[in-house]
Amino acid sequence: MYQPSLFNSFFLGGFECSTHRRSDGRRLDLLAATGHDRWAAHDYGVLQRHGIRSARDGLRWHLIEQVPGHYDWSSFLPMLQAAYRQGTQVIWDLCHYGWPDDIDIWRPQFVERFARFAAAAAQVVKDETDSVPFYAPVNEISFWSWAGGDEAYFNPMARGRGFELKHQLIRASIAAIEAIRDVDPRARFVQVDPAIHVTSRNDRPGPQRAAEDFRLSQFQGWDMLAGELWPGLGGAPQYLDIIGVNYYSDNQWYHEDGSTIPRDCADYRPFKGILREIWQRYKRPLLIAETGAEGDVRGDWLRYVSEQAGLAMQAGVPVEGICLYPVLDYPGWTDERHCPVGLLGFPDENGHRGVHEGLADELRLQQMRFNQANAVPHLAEALS
C-alpha cells in the first residue's frame, strides 16, 4: 500500500476562501462570512483535537493589494502566525477566484501583478515560518474558466471566452511558481481542479463521442501546465508538482441534460478508477483537495471517498491525503443560505462551533483505518 508522506496528517481541513464577484457585482469573502478570519487560531486548535494537522486556507489578494504595488498583510499575518503556533501545516491558496478591482484580468498586467504578489506573499511566509511552504497558485483553473469565461456565473462574467481565460490563468500560475521559487526554492505547489466523469444515455457514436470529449476536457489545465497542450503558454513538467483532485457527489453526470449519475447506477464510475487514471496520466502525487457532502450524508460520503482512496493506494496510486472541504459550514454563494457541509458549524460570540457528530465519528473511524494500514508496512520493515 502506498505510504503518504507529504502532509502532517492524512486528513486535512479546507477553509472556504472564495473572494469572487457574483454576477450581480457583489464580492464574496467566505473567510469573513464563516468567521474563520477572526477565529483562525481557535479553528486550527479544534482541527488539531480532531486529528487534523494540515489544512487548506487562503490569502485575500483584494484586501492585501488595495493600492497597486503596496501590500497590507494585516488580513493574512494573524492567520499565518496562528497556524505556525498551532503546528498546523497549511496549503495557501493565492488566488481563489478573486483579484483587486483595478486589474483587468484579460491583460498581460494581470499575470505580472499576480507574480509580484505571489513573490511578496512567499517572502512573508518565509520570514514568519521555517517549514517547507505549500501553495495552490490559482484555484480550479478549469472550473473558473468555465464558470467565469463561458457561463458568466461569476467574475469576469464572460461568455464564449473560457479557453482564453484558461490560457491567462495558466500563464498566471506559471509566473507565480517562478516568482515563488526565486524566493524559496523549497516551495511545493498543488494544482487543483475537479475530477469528473461524463457519459451519455444514448449509445450512438455521436453522443458518446461528445460526452467523452467533455470528460477529457478535465485534463486541459494540467496538460497546459505540463507543456503537453499549447506549449507556447510556457508550460513544462516542473510546473506540475502535486495534483489536487476535487471530487463531490455531483461530479458525474449525463452529457445530454447534466443530470447527476447516482452512485448506485451502472453508469457511475468508481472513484478509485478516476484516481488511477489521473495517476497513470501524470505520474504525480495526488491530494484529494476537496470533498464533502451536505446534511446527514456527510459521514457516508467520507466513508465512500476514503474506501475508494484506500483501494487506489493498495494498487500503488500515491494518494497523499483527503481534505474535508469546506470543513466549516458556510453561507451559499448565490443565496446565502446555511450550507450544512462542515465538520464544524458557524461560530458563537466566543468562536465556539458545533461539531457534526456523524462526520466526526466517521472521520475517527477512517483515521484509525488509515493509521493501521500505514503501520503494518512499517512494522514489517522494523522486523525484517
Side-chain angles (χ1 to χ4, degrees):
M1 182 169 177
Y2 179 78
Q3 301 294 307
S5 60
L6 282 179
F7 303 110
N8 291 350
S9 60
F10 184 75
F11 288 92
L12 296 80
F15 295 95
E16 164 68 286
C17 55
S18 298
T19 60
H20 56 281
R21 287 196 179 276
R22 306 188 309 194
S23 58
D24 61 4
R26 178 185 172 188
R27 184 185 291 280
L28 300 185
D29 182 344
L30 271 296
L31 289 178
T34 58
H36 178 59
D37 61 343
R38 182 182 178 189
W39 301 109
H42 189 272
D43 292 341
Y44 295 141
V46 173
L47 291 192
Q48 291 267 353
R49 293 196 289 276
H50 285 275
I52 296 176
R53 301 183 300 280
S54 298
R56 283 188 67 191
D57 213 325
L59 286 75
R60 290 169 287 178
W61 185 13
H62 73 287
L63 294 181
I64 294 169
E65 193 181 3
Q66 297 186 52
V67 177
H70 296 272
Y71 304 112
D72 176 0
W73 302 106
S74 60
S75 64
F76 172 54
L77 271 174
M79 298 168 62
L80 175 65
Q81 293 165 346
Y84 189 62
R85 287 194 304 269
Q86 295 278 358
T88 297
Q89 176 191 44
V90 179
I91 303 166
W92 292 107
D93 281 30
L94 297 179
C95 187
H96 204 110
Y97 307 138
W99 66 91
D101 287 329
D102 69 287
I103 302 175
D104 183 347
I105 195 172
W106 303 105
R107 300 290 179 181
Q109 289 75 21
F110 170 79
V111 175
E112 297 161 6
R113 281 274 295 274
F114 182 55
R116 289 195 294 270
F117 166 68
Q123 189 65 58
V124 171
V125 172
K126 184 179 180 182
D127 290 344
E128 295 289 330
T129 70
D130 57 9
S131 305
V132 174
F134 286 78
Y135 300 99
V138 179
N139 183 62
E140 290 193 324
I141 289 174
S142 292
F143 175 74
W144 188 356
S145 301
W146 171 82
D150 282 327
E151 297 296 320
Y153 177 51
F154 59 68
N155 55 209
M157 270 79 79
R159 294 189 183 275
R161 301 182 71 180
F163 214 54
E164 180 185 357
L165 181 57
K166 186 174 291 184
H167 284 188
Q168 188 75 327
L169 298 177
I170 291 292
R171 291 189 187 98
S173 184
I174 291 170
I177 291 171
E178 285 293 330
I180 291 169
R181 283 177 172 161
D182 284 344
V183 173
D184 193 340
R186 304 173 303 160
R188 301 297 303 269
F189 299 92
V190 184
Q191 297 290 356
V192 177
D193 248 327
I196 63 173
H197 179 64
V198 183
T199 190
S200 173
R201 288 190 176 93
N202 192 322
D203 60 4
R204 295 176 62 186
Q208 289 288 339
R209 187 163 53 248
E212 179 63 3
D213 286 345
F214 196 100
R215 188 189 76 83
L216 291 174
S217 70
Q218 71 183 296
F219 302 122
Q220 285 180 353
W222 293 322
D223 285 351
M224 289 175 182
L225 286 166
E228 296 296 326
L229 182 67
W230 287 80
L233 298 173
Q238 65 264 27
Y239 301 122
L240 197 59
D241 182 7
I242 303 160
I243 293 180
V245 176
N246 292 355
Y247 188 71
Y248 297 95
S249 60
D250 56 358
N251 280 34
Q252 300 197 33
W253 66 86
Y254 290 105
H255 189 251
E256 290 86 354
D257 57 10
S259 58
T260 301
I261 303 173
R263 212 164 81 208
D264 58 357
C265 176
D267 289 331
Y268 191 90
R269 186 181 185 191
F271 185 41
K272 64 180 181 180
I274 294 174
L275 292 170
R276 186 182 303 115
E277 180 183 15
I278 296 172
W279 156 242
Q280 290 172 343
R281 187 179 182 103
Y282 298 108
K283 301 298 182 181
R284 300 292 197 280
L286 308 182
L287 168 67
I288 301 172
E290 292 185 19
T291 196
E294 189 165 330
D296 292 336
V297 299
R298 279 174 265 193
D300 176 71
W301 179 251
L302 179 61
R303 182 182 313 118
Y304 172 75
V305 170
S306 300
E307 289 172 349
Q308 291 289 303
L311 291 171
M313 293 166 72
Q314 288 176 13
V317 177
V319 179
E320 290 287 345
I322 299 173
C323 184
L324 280 63
Y325 198 100
V327 76
L328 306 178
D329 289 358
Y330 72 102
W333 284 2
T334 56
D335 56 10
E336 301 177 34
R337 71 178 181 87
H338 178 189
C339 297
V341 296
L343 175 66
L344 308 173
F346 285 103
D348 63 17
E349 63 276 8
N350 297 310
H352 299 297
R353 302 178 186 270
V355 177
H356 188 272
E357 294 299 339
L359 182 54
D361 290 345
E362 188 61 39
L363 174 62
R364 282 191 293 270
L365 177 61
Q366 295 303 328
Q367 286 168 331
M368 286 191 298
R369 287 177 172 172
F370 278 93
N371 288 339
Q372 291 170 356
N374 290 331
V376 171
H378 292 308
L379 179 60
E381 289 175 8
L383 295 175
S384 62

